[in-house]
Amino acid sequence: RYEEAMRRSNAMDFGDLLINTTRLLRNAEGTEAAWLLRRFKHVLVDEFQDTNSIQMEMVDLLAKHGEICVVGDDDQSIYGWRGANPDGMMEFNARPGVQLVKLEENYRCASSILDCANAVIANN
């Protein structure tokens, strides 16, 4: 019933928005949407560990004529159920010309909290 109602109303869910936007950008050359491919000189993606392949394709298309900066922590990936793959961070890091900057100093948490968190992460 839900799917039928969605079809009749032309409503889109989160996945539809990603797929349709990526399709639009993929086929944008020669259309009014082509300006998007030239518009962004810098694209920043936060929580990159929670992106999936269609989101990464969209980011690549948006930054086609610019630069991409991603921020993430593969130990904090929580959207695997939605197709997120923290291995995408390593794949991104393997791209030619990528510069990795590690932010290893934490100014927000006491050392006792960090020690506990690191002990949990060590068992991943």
Side-chain angles (χ1 to χ4, degrees):
R1 286 184 164 180
Y2 172 77
E3 291 171 357
E4 180 62 32
M6 292 285 283
R7 257 193 305 280
R8 271 193 250 120
S9 70
N10 293 323
M12 289 191 281
D13 64 10
F14 183 70
D16 294 330
L17 290 171
L18 292 174
I19 290 167
N20 289 327
T21 301
T22 302
R23 185 178 298 137
L24 174 73
L25 295 173
R26 197 184 298 140
N27 301 311
E29 293 301 327
T31 69
E32 291 179 8
W35 69 272
L36 274 174
L37 299 178
R38 295 182 304 275
R39 180 167 172 83
F40 301 106
K41 295 193 183 341
H42 307 284
V43 175
L44 169 66
V45 181
D46 194 13
E47 303 295 347
F48 187 72
Q49 75 276 0
D50 288 324
T51 58
N52 59 35
S53 59
I54 194 79
Q55 290 168 315
M56 192 59 234
E57 182 181 354
M58 183 188 309
V59 167
D60 282 335
L61 288 165
L62 287 172
K64 188 175 184 177
H65 301 287
E67 297 178 336
I68 304 172
C69 176
V70 302
V71 178
D73 182 347
D74 53 350
D75 289 320
Q76 295 186 28
S77 182
I78 60 172
Y79 287 102
W81 57 271
R82 196 175 66 192
N85 183 1
D87 292 339
M89 292 183 68
M90 289 179 275
E91 293 167 12
F92 184 85
N93 192 41
R95 291 179 176 193
V98 167
Q99 179 183 2
L100 175 64
V101 178
K102 292 186 177 186
L103 305 176
E104 296 178 327
E105 189 71 30
N106 186 317
Y107 297 99
R108 296 188 298 173
C109 298
S111 62
S112 59
I113 293 172
L114 291 174
D115 291 342
C116 181
N118 287 327
V120 170
I121 291 170
N123 293 316
N124 284 352

